[in-house]
Amino acid sequence: MSRILIVEDEPAIALGLEDDLKMEGYEVEVARDGITAARRGREGAFDLILLDVMLPGKDGFEVCRELRRAGLKTPILMLTAKAREEEKVTGLELGADDYVTKPFGTRELRARIKALLRRSTGDAETECCRFGEVEVDFARGELRLRGRPVELTPIEFKLLDFFIRARGRVLSRDQLLAAAWGPDTFASARIVDNHIANLRRKIGDDPAEPRYLRNVRGLGYRFDG
Ligand code: CA
């Protein structure tokens, strides 16, 4: 499930967006001013930020600039006023990925969001990945072992995605929990072990002597692929 941060101070618009995106199956958080937006944008591990320009505290341009300066790569979709043509240009120059002009239709907005999410999860590096006899297509959410499709749960997909991105690095159970279950999870570290056991089976890894998802004693796991 993709996480979206909505930054909008007008309550009616914020609520409408929140309802609509939740119905589309996104996990949604709303920030109502620029200062909260800049903080949550950095901390919240969102997949996309929907950013209004006119905001109390700090305007959307300032928030965008700050997030990009902090190295955040999350796609930013600016909500600009139709009457102000220059806002589009300013937003894009400051590192926004796209814009929608107000008032916008929900269908247009949904399409833009989908396109941006596709683009960002479709990083050349992680869109498709191959190791051993496994092929993973993250854009389509498919995994094949020796050419045959294997069903992965969303949690298993998140774990595998995180492992592949962090290839060769040791990941603690807490890091894996946060990555796959979210930072506020109450799940215990043991559940990670269970999911990794399942994941190993699904990618054809030998549980007695894993080749890809390796145990690193006392520390966690490492993906060598
Ligand atoms: Ca506003």
Side-chain angles (χ1 to χ4, degrees):
M1 193 177 5
S2 296
R3 286 164 49 77
I4 298 181
L5 176 65
I6 299 172
V7 185
E8 172 62 79
D9 58 318
E10 285 152 73
I13 300 180
L15 193 65
L17 285 171
E18 188 180 4
D19 284 350
D20 189 57
L21 295 178
K22 274 186 180 161
M23 277 210 327
E24 287 288 292
Y26 297 112
E27 208 178 300
V28 176
E29 187 176 311
V30 179
R32 297 183 193 284
D33 63 83
I35 293 162
T36 312
R39 182 171 52 79
R40 291 301 298 150
R42 275 197 310 272
E43 297 170 348
F46 293 97
D47 299 295
L48 187 137
I49 299 172
L50 211 53
L51 183 59
D52 187 30
V53 175
M54 303 289 278
L55 293 167
K58 267 174 201 172
D59 70 19
F61 296 136
E62 190 55 45
V63 174
C64 183
R65 182 189 295 130
E66 216 180 291
L67 291 174
R68 289 299 184 241
R69 272 200 191 139
L72 194 86
K73 301 233 164 55
T74 309
I76 295 178
L77 181 58
M78 303 280 302
L79 303 175
T80 61
K82 200 173 198 130
R84 301 202 195 89
E85 199 64 24
E86 73 281 2
E87 286 189 352
K88 301 169 189 171
V89 181
T90 311
L92 297 175
E93 278 175 359
L94 290 175
D97 297 86
D98 200 0
Y99 59 84
V100 172
T101 48
K102 282 176 159 181
F104 46 82
T106 46
R107 278 178 61 181
E108 186 197 356
L109 186 68
R110 281 183 214 159
R112 296 292 183 88
I113 289 175
K114 278 202 185 120
L116 273 185
L117 287 172
R118 229 182 358 247
R119 226 197 284 165
S120 71
T121 49
D123 288 351
E125 210 197 345
T126 52
E127 184 173 48
C128 285
C129 166
R130 206 181 284 261
F131 56 92
E133 296 176 307
V134 177
E135 272 173 84
V136 199
D137 185 333
F138 284 102
R140 290 160 166 260
E142 287 175 357
L143 184 140
R144 286 168 188 276
L145 174 62
R146 295 179 204 105
R148 270 196 233 115
V150 178
E151 283 279 319
L152 250 57
T153 66
I155 292 277
E156 287 165 351
F157 246 108
K158 281 192 186 168
L159 281 173
L160 187 60
D161 184 32
F162 190 50
F163 270 120
I164 290 174
R165 286 171 196 266
R167 191 184 300 250
R169 259 169 45 204
V170 180
L171 299 173
S172 70
R173 287 176 177 77
D174 285 339
Q175 283 176 304
L176 291 163
L177 268 179
W181 280 265
D184 304 318
T185 181
F186 290 106
S188 79
R190 190 175 303 256
I191 200 172
V192 172
D193 300 337
N194 296 335
H195 279 77
I196 285 179
N198 292 337
L199 198 49
R200 276 187 182 136
R201 189 167 43 75
K202 292 182 178 182
I203 63 171
D205 215 356
D206 178 1
E209 218 174 308
R211 154 92 182 72
Y212 302 111
L213 290 177
R214 297 185 183 238
N215 291 318
V216 182
R217 227 171 145 173
L219 294 174
Y221 293 95
R222 189 184 66 224
F223 175 74
D224 288 337

